[in-house]
Amino acid sequence: MNQIRLDKFISERTEYSRSVIKQLVKSGKVLVDGKAAKAADMKIIPGENMVCVDGNEIRESRFRYILLNKPAGYVCSTDDKDGETVMKLLPPEMRTKNMFPAGRLDKDSLGALLITDDGELAHRILAPKSHIPKIYIVKLDRPFESEYINKFKNGITLKDGEQCLPAKVRRAENCEKLAFVELCEGKYHQVKRMFAAVENHVETLMRISLGGLVLPEKLAVGECMELLHKDVENLLKPTDFDDFCARFDPVFSAFLINNQM
């Protein structure tokens, strides 16, 4: 089994610097297998030795994957020059030095956002050639029109002339102003611009799935959860749009009707 220095292990999985870790060890706040660590440079075996810092267990996995149910009013950035960032919504014990939002949601949009420090996975999710589907529910200013289905399927031409890839759209069952949209690309403000191209306006937008990973009904707006390995695998799996809508229409339609309308 490969050994690693304790301070390196902690530093790679938290926001703590090596110097801070050294002080935490001196103050007895770093435990290895339940006992206070004697030195920051002691060797441990990831997965075999249990490490806790200030009462929080440090997981073996090198990378972390956090699913946030993003609220409106936060920007998808690590820099707060444009306003409060989604990073502020993560509890300190979930953060690492190199975390960033994998993908974007507009400041006024809601829903599923992956935050991670795994650059390779983020690239796979965001790369256009991967065609990872993302599903949104939107509240429209005017009632949904059946002609939208074929227009989206054929690839909407935006008002500035930019061409979109084929997409899927359907009206929600219980409200003529709610619709589900599936995209496999991520142009700037794309969903809003697509509906603008068919002379409608998106009042509220919420992303509800990333690949095969569905936003959990019990994850409240503003809350986040750490993803398990099987959840991360689901990010790269395709989903059946019609089956998804049939299963989750009542859940997400009710959310927008009760909270946003």
Side-chain angles (χ1 to χ4, degrees):
M1 299 291 286
N2 292 328
Q3 293 185 328
I4 185 174
R5 281 175 51 133
L6 177 63
D7 53 1
K8 177 178 172 61
F9 175 83
I10 296 172
S11 176
E12 288 180 342
R13 293 159 177 80
T14 68
E15 288 190 308
Y16 297 121
S17 66
R18 296 282 184 100
S19 60
V20 169
I21 294 168
K22 190 173 183 180
Q23 292 302 316
L24 288 169
V25 169
K26 284 185 176 181
S27 61
K29 293 184 177 181
V30 179
L31 305 182
V32 177
D33 296 332
K35 298 180 180 179
K38 295 181 179 180
D41 62 355
M42 70 176 286
K43 297 295 182 64
I44 66 161
I45 300 175
E48 189 170 308
N49 298 119
M50 185 177 73
V51 177
C52 293
V53 177
D54 206 15
N56 296 307
E57 182 179 351
I58 308 301
R59 297 194 177 186
E60 174 189 359
S61 174
R62 170 64 182 82
F63 298 111
R64 303 196 81 163
Y65 309 92
I66 309 298
L67 179 64
L68 170 69
N69 189 349
K70 178 191 172 298
Y74 290 82
V75 295
C76 293
S77 171
T78 56
D79 190 336
D80 59 7
K81 65 181 180 181
D82 296 321
E84 285 197 297
T85 80
V86 291
M87 305 305 294
K88 293 184 177 180
L89 298 171
L90 270 59
E93 64 271 16
M94 283 188 173
R95 299 175 189 165
T96 66
K97 295 183 186 69
N98 301 315
M99 273 192 164
F100 61 94
R104 303 184 69 84
L105 279 173
D106 302 336
K107 186 175 181 178
D108 59 351
S109 297
L110 315 167
L113 179 69
L114 176 68
I115 299 176
T116 185
D117 51 3
D118 186 344
E120 182 178 345
L121 177 75
H123 176 73
R124 292 175 66 189
I125 293 172
L126 299 175
K129 66 180 181 180
S130 297
H131 297 299
I132 301 298
K134 303 171 187 68
I135 298 178
Y136 305 80
I137 185 170
V138 297
K139 176 183 177 287
L140 301 170
D141 176 56
R142 296 192 300 103
F144 183 89
E145 297 180 16
S146 59
E147 66 181 26
Y148 297 167
I149 296 174
N150 281 332
K151 288 185 175 181
F152 276 55
K153 181 179 179 181
N154 293 330
I156 288 284
T157 300
L158 304 177
K159 290 191 172 182
D160 64 359
E162 190 172 8
Q163 184 69 34
C164 296
L165 293 175
K168 298 177 181 179
V169 65
R170 62 180 279 176
R171 202 198 85 172
E173 292 293 333
N174 298 318
C175 182
E176 63 181 4
K177 290 187 177 182
L178 293 183
F180 292 90
V181 183
E182 181 187 79
L183 302 182
C184 290
E185 58 180 338
K187 300 182 188 298
Y188 179 71
H189 288 178
Q190 183 170 349
V191 175
K192 295 177 181 178
R193 294 164 69 201
M194 290 172 77
F195 278 104
V198 294
E199 307 302 327
N200 210 327
H201 173 71
V202 173
E203 293 188 348
T204 305
L205 182 148
M206 182 177 190
R207 185 159 62 199
I208 51 181
S209 85
L210 295 162
L213 179 66
V214 181
L215 185 67
E217 182 180 356
K218 294 182 179 180
L219 189 65
V221 174
E223 291 185 349
C224 59
M225 59 179 283
E226 187 152 12
L227 297 178
L228 303 176
H229 181 69
K230 64 181 178 65
D231 299 319
V232 176
E233 289 182 340
N234 283 337
L235 286 166
L236 301 172
K237 292 180 179 178
T239 187
D240 184 285
F241 180 65
D242 291 327
D243 178 65
F244 177 94
C245 293
R247 291 170 59 201
F248 295 106
D249 186 320
V251 173
F252 294 112
S253 295
F255 176 84
L256 283 199
I257 291 171
N258 294 331
N259 295 279
Q260 300 293 326
M261 302 181 70

